[in-house]
Amino acid sequence: MTEVRIPGGTFAAASAVRSLGDGTFTADLPAEWTVASRPHGGFLMTLLARAATGSVLAAAGTGPVDPLAVSAEFLRPPEVGPVLLRTTVRKLGRTASVVGVSLEQRGRACVAGSVTVGVLPDLDDDDPVAWSDLPDVPAKPPANALDVAAMPAASSFHLTSACDIRLDPMNTGFLHSKAGDPLTLRLWVMPRAGVVDPLFALVAGDVSMPVALNLGRYGWSPTVQLTALLRARPAPGWLRLEVTSRAVHGQWFDEDATVIDSAGRLVCQCRQLALTPIQR
């Protein structure tokens, strides 16, 4: 596939980490991967994952490894610019290793994470999925899908400069100041530059606008805790996702995202606990 260059470069280049040789890594938070000037949560999860896999490779001297599960506590939002990632290998195993990662900026911890590292399964026609129960989301966005980059809110959703994001118009009453639609959204996303990196699924799992918008809960909805399970390497093409919520209690709500690749395989599951403005 021919790589297309845009300002900010590819996702892999934007989310690269650089080892300092002592279990610490440096990285840069670019403006293209922000929402309302705050670095995107899925992008921050990617940095945790890259640092963790680099730490396991250095400690074990094994072949390539993958993040299997990434869990993060968001302590305070970092700013665009350089960050430091400190890693601690808590377990080195033959099947799975566990790494603690702290993302810091100006001497303060911003994200505290834990990453389980192993090897993702290679799924192909000779080794099909044994069983799955996935939502029915079309492989490509339909003709009436909304281009998020063309929405008024895109002026603060800077992620659209790096990602092509399409939204199913069903259940989007919040776009018309209407409350009461089900808390279920469907989206499609792919990077604007390069191919779909396996870790781009972490961005996809956190790319949706808050489903609580359908309750009339407008305003900033910060993620407090986010856990993502990476299940397979995505095939080229659109990543499609369904986002749902089980309950909204006071200011607290949960959000589950199921990310499926163009071949119909589950590539990522994300669950987060977040805060939403109380309806007045």
Side-chain angles (χ1 to χ4, degrees):
M1 179 178 292
T2 302
E3 185 175 83
V4 180
R5 294 285 180 175
I6 62 169
T10 66
F11 170 72
S15 61
V17 300
R18 298 168 291 279
S19 174
L20 298 181
D22 59 353
T24 60
F25 299 79
T26 61
D28 293 304
L29 302 181
E32 293 85 2
W33 296 90
T34 62
V35 179
S37 78
R38 295 176 174 89
H40 181 255
F43 185 85
L44 296 176
M45 297 275 280
T46 299
L47 298 184
L48 301 183
R50 293 205 192 281
T53 54
S55 184
V56 168
L57 284 172
T62 59
V65 291
D66 308 297
L68 304 178
V70 186
S71 181
E73 313 283 344
F74 294 87
L75 310 178
R76 55 183 58 85
E79 299 176 357
V80 168
V83 293
L84 182 71
L85 296 115
R86 300 184 187 275
T87 67
T88 302
V89 178
R90 296 172 178 160
K91 172 192 173 183
L92 275 179
R94 288 179 296 179
T95 303
S97 299
V98 180
V99 183
V101 187
S102 175
L103 185 148
E104 303 174 6
Q105 191 175 64
R106 300 185 182 91
R108 296 206 307 170
C110 299
V111 185
S114 179
V115 183
T116 302
V117 175
V119 179
L120 285 169
D122 288 318
L123 302 177
D124 53 37
D125 293 337
D126 297 326
D127 185 20
V129 175
W131 183 86
S132 67
D133 182 15
L134 301 176
D136 184 15
V137 182
K140 295 181 180 180
N144 66 340
L146 306 174
D147 185 348
V148 175
M151 295 180 181
S155 59
S156 60
F157 201 60
H158 306 299
L159 209 64
T160 56
S161 68
C163 303
D164 190 350
I165 306 171
R166 306 300 172 98
L167 173 65
D168 189 333
M170 183 176 293
N171 300 337
T172 56
F174 63 89
L175 294 176
H176 312 287
S177 299
K178 184 187 85 173
D181 278 358
L183 301 196
T184 300
L185 298 173
R186 300 196 306 180
L187 301 96
W188 295 260
V189 59
M190 67 164 58
R192 293 191 184 275
V195 299
V196 178
D197 183 286
L199 295 191
F200 185 74
L202 292 171
V203 172
D206 190 37
V207 81
S208 174
M209 55 289 296
V211 292
L213 288 173
N214 274 338
L215 296 178
R217 303 287 188 93
Y218 303 110
W220 183 247
S221 297
T223 299
V224 176
Q225 205 282 341
L226 175 60
T227 296
L229 307 180
L230 290 163
R231 307 299 306 277
R233 295 179 182 84
W238 290 97
L239 294 181
R240 39 185 154 153
L241 59 149
E242 181 176 88
V243 185
T244 61
S245 178
R246 297 298 179 185
V248 181
H249 294 160
Q251 283 189 275
W252 295 99
F253 76 103
D254 63 88
E255 192 168 279
D256 289 322
T258 302
V259 184
I260 305 166
D261 71 1
S262 60
R265 299 173 302 197
L266 175 66
V267 294
C268 187
Q269 299 162 272
C270 285
R271 167 167 283 185
Q272 63 177 281
L273 181 66
L275 287 165
T276 182
I278 293 179
Q279 189 176 26
R280 301 297 181 185

